[in-house]
Structures are given as C-alpha cells and as structure tokens.
C-alpha cells in the first residue's frame, strides 16, 4: 500500500474530522469496504480509497465535496461498481463517495411519462417498482447498474436501437459541483431551447465535472405486443447485411443483436439453447401494436431470407422469450465458460453500420493472428459490437488481450468509428481519445474540466488523456 | 446611428483591412446589405452591423474570428434571418458574419442514413436535393431556416413528437471557436460514450460559444404510407385530453397539432378550408408501414371520439394533405389577416403535457383580460404551444403584447415548463432564464461562456441574462 505523504494524509484527516459530526455512521475505513470500492469490473488497476463515505442525500454529497474542494482531496463517485473501464478505481489518497443508498423514486409522473429518481437506484429496481403503471425505463446495459452511473457513462445496451441511450432519455439532473454547490439542469419538459444543454454536458462526464445525485427520466409505455425470434446464417456477412437493411428500411425494430459462431457455440452449451447450431445468429425483438408487429416481422423475415438466412425460429411464450434474452445477456458468462480458468475482457467499439462488415472481417484476421479465442457479439443495429477476449490470468495475458483490443479499436477509428459505444473512457480508453476527437476538441474538453473543477478533485485521471491530474 | 468611439471604430477598421486581401469581394458595407442584417423576424430591436462578411468556407469563418478575437470586435453569425427572438440583431460595432453562401452537401452516406452539410444550407434545399435517395431530414421549424441556424437555436417544429429536435438529429459539428481555431465534435456513429458531449453544448448555444460551419445530420427513410386527418372539438379541453392520451398510449403519431377556434376561423378564411367550422381542431399525421398506420388511425380515432371529437375528416390525396399542412404552416399569416394593419407576435412556451389544459385555461383568461386578440396553436404532442398575439404597430402595442407574453410564460414556468420550446432565448426571453434555470445553473453557463469566449466577442448580449457583455 502506498504510504500517504504527510500533507495528503493530513488534509484527508481534516476532511474526515470535519465531516464526522454530520456523517459519523456513513464513513467507513473497514478493509472489506475499502476493497469493495477499489475497482469496478474487468480493469486490472485497483487501488484502495482512503475512506468510503455513504451519501444518503444530495446535501451529504454537497457537504463532502465542499470539504474536499477546500482541502483538495480527490473524490470518486461509486454506484454499483459495474464499470468495465476503471472509472471507479480511486486515484491516490481519495475518498470513494458511494451513492448506492440513495434509491428513492422522488416523483413519478405517470401521465407525463417521466419520473425523478435518486442516482443510486438501479434500473431493475426502478422497473420493478413502476411495473403497475404500465411504464418502463428502456435503457439496459448488461449489469445491474445505478441510474446515476448510467448517466455518468452515457450507457446504452440492446434497446438503444429503438429507444436511444441515456442521452435521449434523461430530461434533467441534480448535480453537485466540485465546490459543493447544488444545481439543477434541464427540467420536466420534452424539449426546450433555453440555455446551454448542461444536462448533456454531465451525461457521459464520468464524475469528472460534478456528481449526479438525481435524475429526471423519460419513461415509455410497455408495448401491447412483444415478439422474439432468431435467425441463423452460414456466414457473418449475410447476418450483418440483414441487420443493415433492417435499419435502412426504417423497420422500427425493438432489438437486433448478433452473436458469431464461436459465441453461439458457447451460448448453446452454457444456456442450453436447443435446436440451434453454432452459426452466426441474429436475435430479433419486435414490439408495438399487434398489426404493426406483424408487419415488422414479415418485412424482417423477407430481408433475412433474401440474405440467405436459414429460417426464423420463434420464441412463442413469454418464458421462451425470457430464456432467449437471458442467453443473450449471459453471453459473457458463456464465453467465460469456454475456458473456466481464463479471464474474459469485453471490448467495445462502434462504426457507421455500413462499415461493420469490413470492420469485423479485419477483426477476425486480428483475432486469428493473436492466437487468442475471442467470440464476438453486438448491438448490430447501432454498429456497436463487443469482442470477448479470452486470455490467461497473468500480466502477459492481459497485455496480449490489450494488444488485440488496440488493433480492433484502431480499425474502428479508421472507419469513422468511436472507441466506445457504451462502456465509456475511464482509464481503459484514454489512449484512443486524441485520435478519435483530435487535439482541438480535447483542448476544449480540458478547458471545460478546469473551469468546472479548478482543483481537479473530481475523479482525476479519467476520461481526459493528459488531462489535469490531481497532484496531492 | 450610433457614433462609433474612435477606439472601437479603429479596431473594426483594422480587422477589415487585415481581412480585405483574403475576403475583398465578400465584405459589404452597402446600406441595403447592412439593413438586411440588422434584425431577424419579429423583434423590434434592430441595429446595423458595421459590416457584413459573406463566408464561403470554414477557413473564412476562422480568418474572421481570429482577427476579431485579437481586436475584440464582436461577431454575430447570420443564416437566413428567420430568428424571432432577436438572435441575429448585431451588438454595437459588430460584424455580421453571413453563412448563407455555404450551402454544399459535403457528403451523403445514404446507406448509413447520415450526411454532412455546410451550415448555410436550408432544410428545404437539403430535402429537395436528397429526394431521390428516399431519405429526408425531419426537423421542420416554420421558416426556411438554415441548418446551422437550426443547430444554434435547438430548433424543432411539428415533427418533433416523432423524430425529436435538432438535439436528437445532429451527430457532429465543425465549429470555429472564438480564437479562430477549428474543431470537430462528435462524428458519424449513432452513439458514443467517449468524452464530453461538445456537440450538444453547441446545439442551442445561439452563436455565443463558437460558430457552427458544418453539420453531420441523421437522415430518416421516407415512410411508405402517409395519412392525414383532422378532428374538431366543441371545446379546448377535449382536444388537449385527446392529444395527451395519444402520447400516453404510446401511439407513434407523426404529427399532432392544435388550433383553437379563433385560429381556425382565421385559417378557414385565409386558407379556404372548406367544410370546417371555427372550432378547436386537431391536425393528425400518421406515417409508417400500411398496417401500422391503419392501427394508429383506429386507435387515435377511438380516443378522439371518446373525448367528444366530432368525427374525422380525411385528407385522402397527396394534394389534400399538402393543402391541410400548408394551412397549418400558414397559421401565422392567417392570424395576421385578421387585422391586416396590425402586427402579430408569436410567443412560445412548453409544459409537461398533463399541465397543458390548466395552462391554456389560464392563458385564455389572460388573453381576455388583455383586451387583445390572440389565437392559439401548438405542437400539442410535446406540450409546446404558441400564442399569436395581434397588436397594433406602436411601441405601446408592442409593450401590451409583451405584457401578455410575460403572463403566459409566468404561468408555464409555474407549471414546470420552459419559456421556450423552440424559438430560443436571443434577447426576447432573457428575463425568464433566472426563474427557469436558477442562479446555480446560470452561473455554470456564464463560466462556460467565459472559458469558450474570453473576450466576449461571440454574439454578446444574447442567451445569458446579465451575462458577460462586450464592452468595446
């Protein structure tokens, strides 16, 4: 463990002693708690925070930031810890500010299809609690993430092709600024043309510009009819072509997901999918009013068959549908089961959909050249895909996986893509930002960061390559 | 005309003389040109710019801003001049930078449903030029606005209920910063989680943070089937209730527009709408695949009739449809024809849809109390509406209209609304921003402004109340 320099240690102790009267029972330095807050998922880098504070209100967050701002103690917000790019790994001498106790639905406006929630509520819990209203929140990253964390990383998932990402589904926020000041952004209206779009500035800012404590969300009506099917293909190209044509024809499909043959082989075994072959597969979901769904199904089936699809298999019952989508969501675990002693690293990149075929062809060559196994799956309607790189549990294994990931990302960027469709930058994607955004845009981002957080206490070392670094 | 202080005049002349070698034939000080650039539509405030420069490239814009930044000469970007809130009225001693010659479609990626255009292209021209691809750009403010201007004001219109606003339909931008530096934001991908959302920061920034010179737009496939109808109601409440239920039921309606009885009376006369009565009316448009459209129509008709709608009248042919929507888009001129010598001021506010009935009830009382005529119409599916205040051509008449507008906006803000759904802030809505956003959010906006434009040369006096003001 790093020995704290007296000065950083002293400042930290000052902050904690000033906060104790207010937050006595919400501060922990127990080793198990520190360890839980030392990392998210998947990134190797872990570091113990100096203390964990469990916020129970926006005012708690404000009190913590106010002291940390004065004393220049870094703070990283922590929700469910499901980040896969190192977002929640604390910088040195930092406080991990845990918002997972802030789980209240502050208001529910069913007639306007919106609600306001505290940032620590998970999407699953929200959807369970509002089920009786006939409404739901559609953004669905794989993990049981908090809605605040989903805002901070601009999360999306399988339903983004129909409903958009967090960017399109958040109407407003409560944010605590670095100084401890509490502001509200946006509001409840569907659209507004008044003032800078601060809501969008905080969405995706990864806790580096302020800490989100409340979120005003758009909700959607549960569709009358849901229908799911899969179609298998002899080759990847035909499957991608089908997905691309679905989007180009404007079929308002609910989800369209791809798994390649290696992933399917793993998922058939892991999820006991009967009657399927280890071939490239598209998973479809259709939703809406009954005739509209039927029309979407017919149009999609025609496109798939014209692209040599091997026929549609329907998930007729709700149970079958749930089983199918569970298999999709368990893809990571299925890949992990290929070599149970190995580790699996999920990459994430996105390109314009017409470049997806070319990209995946190149990626397949890179995977073959690497000697690693790496099944592939993705939100193919958005052009977004993940490679699940299977590698050994060792620094060398990790480095080999990263080397492959660099090649994949390099190809995506060369095809007008982005190095992350949904996982975010954290520490894992820092090295690609200059290529993706250019130095001009990056210097604007750095200037905004310095304006919003002049002492660089908010999650330093994340999102901005060569950005302002906290210096104790 | 204001006498320029020697120092401001000198600096301006320095800028012009330094720019002349590059832009000789693009600089005008002809009175007619200055007058054209002295105001947008509707606001009283007009002021001649000191010169108009017609940019023909991003590099031209960069050259102008570079000199203006050094010399501290204010610049206002000018597109089609359709702003109704004073956005393009020049500050004192300013250059009006006209982008209307920048009309190229830089790239068209039909297979990915996106394109890149120069900022001076109008949406109508874009849609005419890409008609053969089967694609279109859906955001439709009333006027023949430029796409750059639509970005700058976060424009929307009748199709926002289905397709969203500029915020949801812009993937990336080229922006010239105050210093003249050229940056690109966003890209071509559908979604990305990498870095601060600079694109959204510039969308709606009204030329105060940078000047947008190119726009990457999302395009959409033209629907197979379009169908339009109207339904009349004996009272406003039933019409609003119908619109609200359409949204709550998740019917993916293409447009749903409201006109009150006074507006209908004017439009029946102006647009020669036969067979209609001067009653509150909803205009509907349905789009999509044939069965889906039929299903939407049936569901909507049921809701309308259950709310005492007086029956659907269908626009069967494409000509009838065009005539109906032309009547809707000519509402302003119909209102103007009520008293041809009077002037019409279009207000703009928005509330959560469930508050719309209460709001409009209050607004009706305010209108009655004002003694003015003020027909009412709106994008009712979004909760966004306009009052067309008819008043006399005099400073007193203008003041009476503003007094009424203040009451309307006050009511909207008290009902969780916004003072502008789509027209923007400009100078016209400055007084409401503190109430709407709170001082906390406003100080963040001011800090961002000072960071991005330290000399406050970019459209000073707009968007931010008590914001940094250019001081010559």
């Amino acid at each position: 463990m790093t020995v704290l320099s007296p000065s950083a240690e002293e400042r930290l102790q000052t902050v904690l002693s000033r906060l104790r009267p207010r937050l006595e029972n919400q501060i922990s330095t127990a080793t198990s708690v520190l360890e839980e807050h030392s990392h998210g998922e998947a990134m190797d880098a872990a570091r113990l925070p100096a203390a964990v504070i469990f916020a129970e209100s926006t005012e708690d967050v404000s009190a913590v930031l106010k002291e940390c701002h004065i004393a220049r103690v870094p703070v990283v917000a922590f929700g469910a810890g499901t980040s896969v790019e190192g977002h929640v790994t604390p910088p040195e001498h930092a406080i991990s500010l845990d918002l997972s106790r802030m789980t209240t639905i502050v208001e529910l406006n069913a007639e306007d299809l919106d609600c306001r929630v505290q940032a620590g509520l998970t999407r699953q819990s929200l959807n369970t609690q509002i089920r009786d209203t006939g409404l739901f929140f559609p953004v669905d990253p794989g993990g049981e993430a908090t809605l605040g964390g989903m805002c901070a990383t601009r999360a999306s998932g399988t339903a983004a092709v129909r409903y958009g990402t967090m960017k399109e589904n958040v109407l407003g926020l409560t944010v605590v600024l670095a100084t401890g000041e509490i502001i509200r952004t946006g509001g409840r209206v569907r659209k507004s043309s008044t003032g800078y779009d601060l809501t969008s500035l905080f969405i995706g800012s990864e806790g580096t510009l302020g800490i989100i404590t409340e979120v005003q969300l758009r909700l959607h009506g549960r569709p009358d009819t849901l229908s799911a099917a899969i179609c298998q293909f002899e080759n990847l190209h035909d499957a991608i072509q089908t997905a691309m044509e679905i989007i180009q024809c404007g079929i308002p499909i609910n989800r369209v997901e791809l798994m390649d043959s290696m992933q399917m082989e793993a998922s058939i075994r892991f999820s006991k999918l009967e009657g399927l072959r280890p071939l490239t597969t598209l998973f479809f979901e259709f939703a809406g009013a009954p005739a509209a769904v039927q029309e979407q199904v017919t149009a999609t089936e025609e496109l798939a068959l014209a692209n040599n699809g091997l026929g549609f298999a329907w998930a007729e019952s709700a149970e079958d549908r749930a089983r199918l989508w569970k298999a999709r969501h368990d893809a990571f675990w299925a890949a992990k089961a290929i070599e149970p002693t190995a580790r699996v690293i999920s990459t994430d990149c996105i390109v314009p959909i017409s470049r997806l075929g070319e990209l995946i062809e190149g990626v397949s060559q890179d995977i073959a050249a690497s000697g690693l196994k790496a099944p592939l799956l993705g939100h193919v309607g958005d052009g977004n895909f993940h490679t699940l790189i299977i590698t050994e549990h060792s620094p060398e294994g990790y480095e080999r996986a990263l080397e492959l990931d660099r090649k994949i990302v390099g190809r995506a960027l060369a095809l007008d893509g982005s190095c992350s469709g949904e996982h975010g930058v954290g520490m894992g994607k820092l090295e690609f930002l200059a290529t993706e955004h250019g130095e001009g845009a990056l210097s604007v981002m750095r200037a905004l960061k310095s304006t919003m957080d002049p002492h660089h206490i908010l999650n330093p070392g994340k999102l901005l390559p060569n950005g302002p670094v906290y210096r104790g």
Side-chain angles (χ1 to χ4, degrees), chain A:
Chain A
M1 218 181 132
T2 318
V3 177
L4 299 180
S5 76
S7 143
E9 171 70 16
E10 196 175 272
R11 287 203 306 279
L12 181 74
Q13 291 310 329
T14 304
V15 164
L16 293 177
S17 67
R18 291 178 64 97
L19 289 172
R20 267 201 192 94
R22 180 193 175 98
L23 302 170
E24 183 61 53
N25 300 318
Q26 296 163 242
I27 301 177
S28 175
T29 51
T31 310
S32 63
V33 174
L34 299 183
E35 272 169 3
E36 268 171 26
H37 292 78
S38 67
H39 62 89
E41 295 175 2
M43 281 286 293
D44 266 14
R47 185 187 287 120
L48 295 190
V52 176
I53 299 180
F54 293 89
E56 294 178 357
S57 67
T58 298
E59 290 67 29
D60 284 352
V61 174
S62 171
V64 172
L65 290 195
K66 193 173 168 190
E67 296 300 338
C68 288
H69 179 71
I70 294 168
R72 310 199 178 189
V73 168
V75 181
V76 53
F78 192 98
T82 54
S83 152
V84 291
E85 295 294 356
H87 296 91
V88 297
T89 298
E92 284 192 81
H93 322 312
I95 287 172
S96 180
L97 184 54
D98 185 310
L99 282 84
S100 66
R101 294 185 186 173
M102 293 179 61
T103 58
T104 305
I105 297 179
V106 181
E107 59 180 54
L108 173 60
N109 307 297
E111 71 278 28
D112 291 314
L113 289 81
D114 75 79
C115 69
R116 190 169 193 87
V117 304
Q118 287 186 316
L121 185 69
T122 65
R123 62 181 185 93
Q124 287 92 334
S125 175
L126 172 64
N127 280 331
T128 304
Q129 291 183 65
I130 65 174
R131 186 173 288 158
D132 289 347
T133 62
L135 302 174
F136 78 114
F137 183 70
V139 185
D140 68 332
E144 180 139 4
T146 64
L147 289 154
M150 288 166 63
C151 286
T153 52
R154 208 181 292 132
S156 52
T158 63
V161 68
R162 172 75 165 258
Y163 293 100
T165 71
M166 291 306 279
K167 174 177 174 173
E168 289 84 15
N169 286 284
V170 174
L171 297 167
L173 299 169
T174 299
V175 180
V176 182
L177 303 179
T179 55
E181 192 186 352
I182 300 166
I183 66 164
R184 282 176 76 122
T185 73
R188 287 190 53 216
V189 288
R190 284 292 112 162
K191 61 179 192 181
S192 167
S193 292
T194 67
Y196 304 145
D197 185 355
L198 298 184
T199 303
S200 294
L201 186 61
F202 289 107
I203 301 283
S205 68
E206 304 188 351
T208 67
L209 298 179
I211 294 185
I212 295 166
T213 60
E214 286 185 10
V215 190
Q216 196 88 28
L217 295 167
R218 284 187 73 156
L219 301 174
H220 298 264
R222 289 193 178 274
D224 296 342
T225 308
L226 266 178
S227 177
I230 61 169
C231 183
Q232 299 203 288
F233 296 81
E234 293 284 359
N235 66 63
L236 207 50
H237 173 268
D238 288 336
I240 291 173
Q241 185 66 25
T242 302
M244 194 168 92
E245 291 177 10
I246 289 169
I247 301 304
Q248 287 167 355
C249 292
I251 298 173
I253 199 159
N254 220 44
R255 308 178 204 240
V256 49
E257 295 285 310
L258 176 136
M259 288 194 192
D260 77 352
S261 52
M262 185 184 290
Q263 180 65 52
M264 277 305 290
E265 186 172 357
S267 289
I268 288 168
R269 191 174 312 126
F270 185 85
S271 299
K272 305 188 174 46
L273 296 173
E274 284 156 29
L276 293 177
R277 291 153 60 194
L279 296 174
T280 300
T281 305
L282 287 179
F283 287 59
F284 303 107
E285 187 173 75
F286 307 94
V293 165
Q294 190 47 55
E295 207 164 34
Q296 292 171 38
V297 164
T298 307
T300 302
E301 205 162 2
E302 270 172 23
L303 292 176
L305 297 182
N307 284 302
N308 310 310
L310 302 173
F312 266 41
W314 290 95
E316 302 288 351
S317 64
E319 291 69 34
D320 283 354
R321 265 206 318 279
R323 205 162 128 262
L324 205 61
W325 287 105
K326 184 161 183 354
R328 166 61 188 81
H329 281 117
D330 283 344
F332 180 87
W333 302 109
K336 198 153 169 53
I338 294 176
E339 292 185 19
T341 62
R343 65 181 293 183
V344 177
I345 291 166
S346 173
T347 73
D348 170 33
C349 62
I350 181 166
V351 289
I353 192 166
S354 72
R355 323 301 287 272
L356 195 56
E358 183 180 348
L359 174 60
I360 291 184
E361 202 167 295
V363 168
S364 302
Q365 291 165 20
D366 294 337
I367 295 172
S370 76
L372 293 167
K373 282 185 191 158
L376 200 145
L377 74 165
H379 314 310
V380 72
D382 295 324
N384 185 198
F385 80 97
H386 307 289
T387 318
L388 300 177
I389 305 175
I390 300 169
T391 191
E392 65 182 25
H393 265 293
S394 68
E396 297 72 28
Y398 188 58
E399 196 40 59
R400 280 178 73 196
L402 287 194
E403 200 47 55
L404 174 56
D405 185 33
R406 279 188 197 103
K407 286 189 183 156
I408 295 172
V409 171
R411 285 187 189 272
L413 294 179
L415 293 167
D416 283 346
S418 167
C419 70
S420 174
E422 51 187 17
H423 291 175
V425 179
M427 298 189 284
K429 292 291 173 76
L430 283 172
E431 63 186 288
F432 307 112
L433 254 64
T435 308
E436 179 172 335
H437 292 288
E439 277 303 328
L442 280 190
S443 23
V444 173
M445 292 185 203
R446 287 190 195 104
L448 298 179
K449 165 70 176 174
S450 290
T451 301
M452 299 293 296
D453 178 23
H455 299 169
H456 304 140
I457 62 163
L458 293 173
N459 210 6
K462 317 294 165 62
L463 191 136
L464 280 171
N466 314 313
V469 175
Y470 172 78
R471 301 213 182 273

